[in-house]
Amino acid sequence: MPIIVNLDVMLAKRKMKLKELSEKVGVSTVNLSILKQGKVKAIRFSTLNAICEVLNCRPGDILEYAEKSESEI
Amino acid sequence: MKYLKHTLALVFLIISTVFITRYNLNDNILKVFCLVTISLFIFNLIFRKSLALKKYFTSRYNVFTSKFRSEKVYDISAELMFEKIIEVINNSNFKLAGTESNNFSILATSSISFSSWGESLYINFDNSKDGCVMRFCSVTLFGVYSWGKNENNYHEILKQIDDSLTI
């Protein structure tokens, strides 16, 4: 999928553990792990809002659109 | 096709009942048959929540339980899916009866209702090249035909997993 999730990068920048984020956002660590791997089907605005609030970042810092290369097309 | 299976099962049930009553089978044979049936039912009822008896309940030679098996591939690791399924079951109508984290096995049960004695759901995960394979087996507590309950459990679990992947 061309959407890349940079949650692990933001967590490293904020020196925060996934468990800590999970407690602050109110989303289970399993769900955050799946999100980190980019395997979720969809993300709610409320979840994105909570993550951005805790990590003090913008949605674009967490989600990135990567165009497909010619070989992938 | 689904209704045809149900109709055939109903016809078989009626024919068996007519056969037993009309041909007046020997009383002793009927008593032994009833005793064995009731004993097996009680055994299944007592041990239905034991994951150690998975082989007994899911065995193809166990003709007293109806089974529905299916497999689905997920691109998520078995470790994560194992935890995910536990979360899904805890938020659903099914009850978590047992887990084995070393081989990613889960046993959940559906509640007893007017139409069913409840079914046992055996789920286990195996890591594969691209993620994991979920092996699902829904087993009736006691009954050679499930009247579609087993299939419904499978579709219910799949729906719950799909819904839970929206976070």
Side-chain angles (χ1 to χ4, degrees), chain A residues 22-34:
Chain A
S22 155
E23 283 162 5
K24 286 181 177 171
V25 170
V27 175
S28 67
T29 44
V30 181
N31 281 338
L32 286 179
S33 297
I34 295 171

Side-chain angles (χ1 to χ4, degrees), chain A residues 40-63:
Chain A
V40 292
K41 260 177 68 180
I43 180 166
R44 291 189 188 91
F45 276 137
S46 55
T47 310
L48 192 59
N49 182 56
I51 292 172
C52 287
E53 208 173 297
V54 172
L55 292 176
N56 191 23
C57 64
R58 290 175 300 169
D61 296 328
I62 297 167
L63 304 174

Side-chain angles (χ1 to χ4, degrees), chain B residues 35-101:
Chain B
L35 196 70
V36 169
T37 310
I38 292 166
S39 307
L40 275 170
F41 174 76
I42 293 169
F43 180 84
N44 287 4
L45 192 64
I46 294 169
F47 294 105
R48 70 179 298 206
K49 290 183 179 176
S50 168
L51 198 51
L53 287 174
K54 180 183 176 181
K55 278 189 180 169
Y56 161 74
F57 282 107
T58 58
S59 167
R60 67 185 67 203
Y61 301 111
N62 187 344
V63 291
F64 292 101
T65 58
S66 169
K67 299 152 205 90
F68 174 81
R69 294 171 209 275
S70 193
E71 285 186 8
K72 192 168 165 66
V73 177
Y74 286 97
D75 59 352
I76 300 170
S77 69
E79 291 83 359
L80 266 181
M81 273 311 285
F82 176 70
E83 287 180 41
K84 184 79 193 156
I85 287 282
I86 291 173
E87 193 182 279
V88 165
I89 289 169
N90 284 332
N91 294 326
S92 71
N93 295 328
F94 301 107
K95 282 179 191 163
L96 193 67
T99 58
E100 272 179 19
S101 53

